[in-house]
Amino acid sequence: MIFVSGVHGVGKSYFCNLVKESTGIETYSASTLIAAKKQSEFSKDKLIPDIDDNQQFLLMAVNELKTFGKNFILDGHFCLLNTSGEVQRISHDTFTMLKPDAIVLLTEKPKIIVSRRRERDKIDITVESVEQFQEEERRYASEVAKNIGAKLFISKGAEDLMQAIDFIKSL
């Protein structure tokens, strides 16, 4: 399993669609898997209650997907915004149990993410909040990859998405 991560609005869905078109590898969204197992939707503001509880739903769904024996991509996060709007790391145990073979962390210029969130979610966020969120996502992705022995590719934005796809193809 390949874990594709990044902050809200970085372009994970877009990237996963490119990968699927290029490689045929099936992609799944962590939030969609959690919502299906939990039988409830997430709000547009991306403030997540029950972050730790939600990971149990994700692990159940991913374990079901792994029974098919095919490689797949999981689009998710290393950190989320809790109901207070603070960046919160997802439990390290979650990633130990997910056991991704590789991690692709997508990043983008904060101004672009701010614009995307305004357009898509009708939410105004600050460049500074995106910078803080992205930096924590980057720090934690690096830490987790090292601890679980997963290969890591950190994208620097839209200009190197093809390199990220080449990284996936090389696995």
Side-chain angles (χ1 to χ4, degrees), residues 1-2 4 16 19 25-28 71-75 168:
M1 185 252 296
I2 301 161
V4 173
C16 286
V19 173
I25 299 173
E26 196 60 51
T27 65
Y28 300 93
N71 200 12
F72 61 92
I73 292 174
L74 180 63
D75 143 8
I168 290 170

Side-chain angles (χ1 to χ4, degrees), residues 69-121:
K70 291 185 177 181
N71 200 12
F72 61 92
I73 292 174
L74 180 63
D75 143 8
H77 302 274
F78 282 98
C79 303
L80 289 167
L81 299 174
N82 64 23
T83 52
S84 301
E86 300 162 332
V87 176
Q88 179 180 325
R89 288 180 168 194
I90 292 171
S91 167
H92 192 284
D93 291 344
T94 298
F95 300 102
T96 301
M97 289 186 266
L98 283 174
K99 297 178 191 153
D101 300 305
I103 297 166
V104 175
L105 174 65
L106 301 178
T107 66
E108 187 53 89
K109 294 173 188 75
K111 285 182 180 180
I112 292 173
I113 293 172
V114 166
S115 174
R116 288 178 183 165
R117 291 291 311 278
R118 187 176 300 126
E119 272 184 45
R120 182 187 74 186
D121 302 327

Side-chain angles (χ1 to χ4, degrees), residues 6-166:
V7 301
H8 306 290
V10 77
K12 291 182 301 298
S13 297
Y14 173 79
F15 175 74
C16 286
N17 287 332
L18 286 177
V19 173
K20 186 175 179 178
E21 288 173 13
S22 176
T23 66
I25 299 173
E26 196 60 51
T27 65
Y28 300 93
S29 161
S31 60
T32 302
L33 293 174
I34 293 167
K37 280 282 177 205
K38 200 173 174 180
Q39 298 182 341
S40 70
E41 294 297 316
F42 291 103
S43 63
K44 286 269 190 201
D45 65 12
K46 306 296 184 188
L47 302 179
I48 310 296
D50 308 322
I51 289 173
D52 291 333
D53 292 341
N54 287 342
Q55 302 319 301
Q56 297 310 310
F57 291 106
L58 175 62
L59 290 169
M60 283 189 283
V62 167
N63 285 336
E64 288 174 15
L65 291 172
K66 285 182 175 182
T67 63
F68 296 111
K70 291 185 177 181
N71 200 12
F72 61 92
I73 292 174
L74 180 63
D75 143 8
H77 302 274
F78 282 98
C79 303
L80 289 167
L81 299 174
N82 64 23
T83 52
S84 301
E86 300 162 332
V87 176
Q88 179 180 325
R89 288 180 168 194
I90 292 171
S91 167
H92 192 284
D93 291 344
T94 298
F95 300 102
T96 301
M97 289 186 266
L98 283 174
K99 297 178 191 153
D101 300 305
I103 297 166
V104 175
L105 174 65
L106 301 178
T107 66
E108 187 53 89
K109 294 173 188 75
K111 285 182 180 180
I112 292 173
I113 293 172
V114 166
S115 174
R116 288 178 183 165
R117 291 291 311 278
R118 187 176 300 126
E119 272 184 45
R120 182 187 74 186
D121 302 327
K122 310 295 184 243
I123 291 176
D124 284 319
I125 54 175
T126 65
V127 167
E128 293 77 20
S129 68
V130 173
E131 287 170 345
Q132 176 194 2
F133 196 172
Q134 269 196 139
E135 184 51 37
E136 187 61 16
E137 187 88 357
R138 181 186 339 244
R139 257 193 305 258
Y140 195 34
S142 297
E143 185 181 309
V144 168
K146 182 180 178 187
N147 289 342
I148 66 173
K151 295 177 183 173
L152 174 64
F153 181 91
I154 300 177
S155 159
K156 293 171 183 60
E159 64 272 0
D160 71 355
L161 292 184
M162 296 319 289
Q163 290 169 296
I165 291 172
D166 288 342

